[in-house]
Amino acid sequence: MSATSPDSATTTTVRGTCPHDCPDTCALLTTVQNGVAIRVQGNPGHRHTDGALCTKVSRYTQRSYHPERILQPLRRVGPKGSGQFEAIGWEAALDTIAVRLKAIAAHDPQAIVPYSYCGTMGLVQGEGMAARFFNRLGASRLERTICASAGAEALTSTFGAKVGMKVEHFAESQLILIWGSNSISSNLHFWRLAQQAKRNGARLVCIDPRRSETAEKCHEHIALRPGTDAALALALMHQLITHGWLDHDYIARHTLGWDSLRERALLWTPQRAAEVCGVPVQQIVDLARAYGTTTPAAIRLNYGVQRARGGGNAVRAVACLPALVGAWRHRAGGVLLSSGGHFPLPSAALQRPDLLAGRMPRLLNMIAIGDDLQRETSPDFGPKIEALIVYNSNPVAVAPDSSQVVKGFAREDLFTVVLEHFHTDTADHADIILPATTQLEHWDIHTTYGHTDVMLNQPAIAPLGESRSNAAIFRALAERMGYDEPCFQDDDETLCRTAFGNRVDFETLLNQGFATVPVPEAPFANGNFPSPSGRCEFASSRLAARGMDPLPDHLPNHEAAGSSTRFPLAMISPPARNFMNSSFVNVKSLRDIEGEPRLEIHADDAAARGIETGQTVRVYNQRGEHRCKADVSNRARPGVVNGLGIWWRKLGLDGTNINQLTSQRVTDMGNGPVFYDCLVEVERS
Ligand code: SF4
């Protein structure tokens, strides 16, 4: 903490970190006057942040001091979902929870389920003290796959870990493929680097079903059908092979499975891929030429690509491209999906898996929470879910197939505890709500998936009202449960220090807010991939050992475009620019920019249905229906509609959101979600 004002007695600047699920993981500077945070800015001393925040987080004080912030523990007094609560003191709240959890744990602690994701990306307020608590309890384990697991498994099976080129070097690239990313909206600091490259003569190509804000600012937009990215990548390989745009030396020294990949890729002529992807043949041929003949060429891949049945294969196919042309030889060449694997792993001392004491509770996939909450006890499933403890997540809004999720959360016999800042759709279904602190009020430590700095967040202000950090809440719950292991006494700063032990210098974190992890400038210029073979594994023996295709291929969507006459339109649900998943939807100034829930629809599809901009439309499929406003727009390609998310259900037009339509099915790898693998029909409402 440093005094920065002439009036140093009352004004300070505190170093922090943006907690949101965004690859940029910005360094924050919070100005505090007389104990009140008055401004949150980007830290100009942090290279990746470069003094700039996105619109959402530059309004973070509006979120922390929001008049609707929950500031005391609450107990439900109305029907589930009605949002009727009364204040209850911490003592009574903790006692109520402990009594209920002890009773359930006495017959089977697996009937208790934690539900959390990246409402904060912090390691301490995420799965720090919470993991200790649930490990000690022996609760069900949660398979946290709702966002990035298909891509993570794809990278791991190709490179050996979630690694890639260093983001700062994109500024020196000559060709950048922005693949499955609306960077302006969700990776702003990368976009600044891409702009720098553009000013230096680079060509930017955006590959995305949607003509996003990013796509319209690139030199070229390839608007492929959702879930067809692998077909495009394989056709690019076909062209690289047939035109000889290959780095044979790099392939021979640093890859595995070239002959079989070559055979596979030669099946994917541009004509075949063009038909699958719904793009002109010439566009594929031209892209291949540009990729095969431009040095250095870089790919910024993002997670949109992996939200369809074949998402893992798609990421693998794209991840193979740089090795074929030897792009890794240059620091401004290669691919970046996630930099997460460059960090040291958090130590077991943080989460304490030893507290499981040899037990291995069942694993429940968070995507299937809608169905799982409605299951009875069975030998396959194990015990019926009796209690749910939700933190850092809003599953009633964000989990797929939400009519099933709502049915599950509405169960009167389900005991639900929600740690929250606001009365979200999920909090409305709680029995007990516990008020959680925001990032301005607690300690945390972060890694990131977009750059290579460990980040520290120091509290800028005292917790508001009676709110407590997640770690403090689980500490108090542990005490009520009678857990007397010393690890349940650790305070939040101690947990931050424990996360990496002496592998990251904590003094550096305290003094500058971040500590850079040493990563070579061109990490795979000479191979040295962290895979078992040390090579880029085109063919993966680890996938083959699991009975899977060792080579990347195109897998058609579960709900492939054109496969249904009842539901002829494919739908994707990318984030609205001013929301962060379901966070910030209740910040009025941001919601006002978004207006109302919208469905972008191409003029041809709209005309065929007599739909005009501004009309309320009914979007429906076999899972449900959702009403929103039509936006007839060239942001949508023919045959594909874009339902921008993720609105809170209760702030929508008819008490639903876009997840009323999405399915609980999973991806080919990593048991990930298939939010962008969804067929619908649209009509005037
Ligand atoms: S959401 Fe992303 S761009 Fe915005 S402040 Fe946070 S890390 Fe930076």
Side-chain angles (χ1 to χ4, degrees):
M1 194 179 285
S2 59
T4 58
S5 152
D7 185 3
S8 61
T10 57
T11 304
T12 53
T13 305
V14 181
R15 298 182 201 286
T17 302
C18 175
H20 289 290
D21 189 357
C22 167
D24 296 21
T25 317
C26 289
L28 310 180
L29 291 179
T30 302
T31 306
V32 181
Q33 226 169 47
N34 299 322
V36 176
I38 57 167
R39 194 165 48 243
V40 176
Q41 295 167 290
N43 182 351
H46 182 240
R47 173 183 186 174
H48 299 288
T49 307
D50 197 19
L53 303 179
C54 62
T55 313
K56 298 175 278 261
V57 173
S58 59
R59 301 182 190 194
Y60 201 81
T61 54
Q62 290 183 28
R63 192 167 186 279
S64 289
Y65 293 110
H66 195 292
E68 290 161 13
R69 178 95 184 264
I70 299 169
L71 292 175
Q72 51 193 330
L74 302 172
R75 170 170 54 199
R76 179 169 66 89
V77 293
K80 288 219 168 178
S82 67
Q84 296 168 42
F85 293 89
E86 66 177 13
I88 176 179
W90 270 106
E91 296 303 305
L94 293 169
D95 284 343
T96 305
I97 297 167
V99 165
R100 195 69 182 260
L101 296 189
K102 278 181 187 171
I104 298 169
H107 61 86
D108 192 341
Q110 295 179 102
I112 302 166
V113 178
Y115 198 98
S116 65
Y117 198 65
C118 291
T120 173
M121 295 288 290
L123 300 176
V124 167
Q125 309 305 343
E127 309 309 323
M129 190 59 79
R132 293 181 180 184
F133 178 81
F134 290 114
N135 285 339
R136 173 68 175 77
L137 179 60
S140 286
R141 293 171 302 135
L142 187 70
E143 197 177 13
R144 292 181 172 85
T145 56
I146 203 162
C147 180
S149 57
E153 190 171 331
L155 286 187
T156 304
S157 60
T158 312
F159 302 149
K162 293 184 291 176
V163 289
M165 58 182 286
K166 294 176 80 170
V167 69
E168 53 267 39
H169 299 320
F170 275 93
E172 300 160 14
S173 303
Q174 279 301 297
L175 172 69
I176 303 179
L177 311 189
I178 301 175
W179 202 320
S181 172
N182 182 3
S183 312
I184 291 177
S185 169
S186 57
N187 194 185
L188 183 65
H189 294 78
F190 157 75
W191 178 248
R192 288 156 63 105
L193 297 167
Q195 290 299 99
Q196 226 174 299
K198 191 178 176 187
R199 284 194 293 275
N200 294 335
R203 182 172 174 78
L204 308 186
V205 180
C206 184
I207 302 169
D208 191 328
R210 178 174 183 244
R211 189 165 182 77
S212 64
E213 296 87 342
T214 305
E216 68 190 3
K217 289 194 168 53
C218 287
H219 295 99
E220 188 180 0
H221 174 211
I222 299 181
L224 76 184
R225 293 192 181 103
T228 62
D229 304 82
L232 177 59
L234 286 158
L236 295 182
M237 291 181 204
H238 177 284
Q239 292 293 284
L240 298 178
I241 294 165
T242 54
H243 291 273
W245 295 319
L246 297 168
D247 185 332
H248 289 287
D249 179 62
Y250 193 93
I251 292 170
R253 288 170 188 263
H254 305 308
T255 71
L256 197 70
W258 162 236
D259 288 342
S260 48
L261 180 67
R262 183 176 184 281
E263 205 175 306
R264 172 71 53 86
L266 286 174
L267 300 174
W268 281 93
T269 61
Q271 290 74 13
R272 181 182 174 198
E275 215 158 284
V276 170
C277 301
V279 301
V281 175
Q282 195 60 44
Q283 208 170 21
I284 298 177
V285 170
D286 290 346
L287 180 65
R289 176 177 298 278
Y291 190 71
T293 59
T294 308
T295 301
I299 303 173
R300 182 63 173 105
L301 184 59
N302 214 340
Y303 286 101
V305 165
Q306 42 104 72
R307 297 208 175 102
R309 176 189 168 216
N313 267 274
V315 168
R316 264 177 61 63
V318 176
C320 290
L321 290 168
L324 292 174
V325 296
W328 290 116
R329 292 185 188 277
H330 310 268
R331 70 179 191 174
V335 60
L336 176 64
L337 171 62
S338 170
S339 58
H342 287 299
F343 291 91
L345 284 176
S347 67
L350 180 63
Q351 300 193 340
R352 296 294 303 270
D354 56 298
L355 292 167
L356 281 165
R359 297 167 294 178
M360 190 49 74
R362 70 173 166 188
L363 187 63
L364 297 179
N365 188 315
M366 66 193 304
I367 293 162
I369 190 68
D371 283 350
D372 284 352
L373 281 174
Q374 298 177 69
R375 290 186 191 222
E376 296 297 326
T377 299
S378 74
D380 273 355
F381 182 61
K384 178 177 177 171
I385 298 172
E386 294 181 55
L388 201 56
I389 302 184
V390 183
Y391 52 104
N392 301 335
S393 186
N394 179 11
V396 173
V398 306
D401 197 1
S402 40
S403 63
Q404 299 309 311
V405 181
V406 170
K407 259 191 215 168
F409 270 83
R411 267 178 46 201
E412 278 298 330
D413 65 332
L414 178 73
F415 180 64
T416 304
V417 178
V418 178
L419 284 60
E420 249 306 347
H421 305 140
F422 298 110
H423 285 280
T424 61
D425 294 323
T426 305
D428 283 349
H429 289 80
D431 293 281
I432 302 280
I433 304 177
L434 301 176
T437 45
T438 68
Q439 189 80 340
L440 299 188
E441 301 150 67
H442 57 226
W443 285 92
D444 217 331
I445 190 165
H446 294 245
T447 58
T448 167
Y449 54 99
H451 57 74
T452 44
D453 294 343
V454 175
M455 313 289 290
L456 185 69
N457 185 71
Q458 300 186 51
I461 56 173
L464 297 190
E466 297 178 33
S467 65
R468 297 184 184 181
S469 71
N470 287 356
I473 292 172
F474 283 106
R475 213 160 29 234
L477 274 174
E479 190 204 331
R480 284 297 195 289
M481 297 292 284
Y483 300 161
D484 55 8
E485 290 84 353
C487 69
F488 290 110
Q489 306 290 325
D490 288 349
D491 64 23
D492 292 18
E493 185 186 342
T494 303
L495 291 169
C496 289
R497 290 176 182 272
T498 304
F500 296 105
N502 57 12
R503 292 171 299 160
V504 176
D505 182 29
F506 205 76
E507 288 309 305
T508 303
L509 288 173
L510 284 172
N511 292 336
Q512 64 176 20
F514 56 91
T516 301
V517 171
V519 175
E521 293 292 281
F524 310 119
N526 298 306
N528 296 321
F529 290 92
S531 63
S533 62
R535 293 170 175 239
C536 172
E537 299 195 351
F538 297 150
S540 166
S541 52
R542 287 168 294 165
L543 291 179
R546 290 161 54 194
M548 298 166 71
D549 188 342
L551 293 170
D553 204 355
H554 166 64
L555 299 184
N557 282 1
H558 293 299
E559 300 182 10
S563 64
S564 164
T565 48
R566 276 176 74 205
F567 307 119
L569 296 170
M571 187 187 80
I572 59 172
S573 43
R577 183 170 178 180
N578 292 284
F579 302 155
M580 168 70 62
N581 298 319
S582 75
S583 298
F584 295 101
V585 180
N586 63 325
V587 175
K588 191 170 179 312
S589 66
L590 293 170
R591 192 168 72 246
D592 285 348
I593 302 172
E594 290 299 329
E596 293 178 291
R598 274 181 301 136
L599 184 86
E600 295 168 350
I601 182 167
H602 187 270
D604 293 351
D605 295 320
R609 293 162 178 81
I611 291 169
E612 291 173 13
T613 290
Q615 285 178 338
T616 302
V617 289
R618 173 177 171 257
V619 193
Y620 63 97
N621 62 17
Q622 69 275 30
R623 289 176 288 273
E625 60 179 38
H626 164 64
R627 282 174 181 75
C628 56
K629 294 289 181 180
D631 182 359
V632 180
S633 162
N634 71 352
R635 291 210 187 278
R637 57 155 286 155
V640 180
V641 290
N642 313 320
L644 305 183
I646 299 174
W647 280 76
W648 290 11
R649 292 166 60 87
K650 63 183 172 186
L651 297 176
L653 298 187
D654 63 350
T656 66
N657 70 13
I658 205 72
N659 278 323
Q660 201 78 1
L661 304 159
T662 54
S663 93
Q664 296 180 54
R665 298 180 80 164
V666 296
T667 48
D668 52 349
M669 296 179 197
N671 292 328
V674 293
F675 289 115
Y676 300 174
D677 181 343
C678 177
L679 291 180
V680 299
E681 179 55 297
V682 183
E683 64 181 25
R684 293 171 61 159
S685 176

